[in-house]
Amino acid sequence: MTATRPRRTDPLTLEVVELIGDVVARYYQEYEEAAARHGLTGAQARVLSLLALDPLPMRQVAQRLKCEPSNITGIVDRLEARALVERRPSPGDRRVKVAALTTEGARVARSLRESLDFAREPLAGLSRDERLALRDMLRRMVGVDGAA
């Protein structure tokens, strides 16, 4: 016997969806405000944040941000003009260019990350076990492997 899935229109599911939407909206609003304080667009800030993890080929940046590669080229051009990003040959294939943060770009990315604090206070009110459970549920919702 298979477990029945809750209907997508039941009141609890609708409330959870609404709350997730509220969290996303607050996150993007704060992200845009933090980006503006650094003279960046939201898209530029997202590229910096992504490159803070690792230098990436621009095609991968576009894939991860779910946008056209030509858009990423323009964004990286503007970030490069501000000396926040540089293009380097890929270590695995020198024909491919990767976008990488400069020292100043890393500083700005860190500052952006530190200024995104709308969730820190509420999350700090949760126990470690509650935060782990929330993380695991969110991973499950987006289809990310739960291995940490």
Side-chain angles (χ1 to χ4, degrees), residues 81-122:
R82 291 189 52 190
L84 299 174
V85 170
E86 62 187 8
R87 289 176 171 95
R88 300 178 186 160
S90 171
D93 183 348
R94 297 187 63 75
R95 296 170 296 176
V96 174
K97 296 287 185 194
V98 296
L101 294 183
T102 62
T103 301
E104 179 63 9
R107 186 195 66 74
V108 171
R110 190 171 40 258
S111 178
L112 279 166
R113 185 177 58 250
E114 290 169 358
S115 68
L116 298 174
D117 58 3
F118 89 86
R120 285 189 187 133
E121 191 173 314

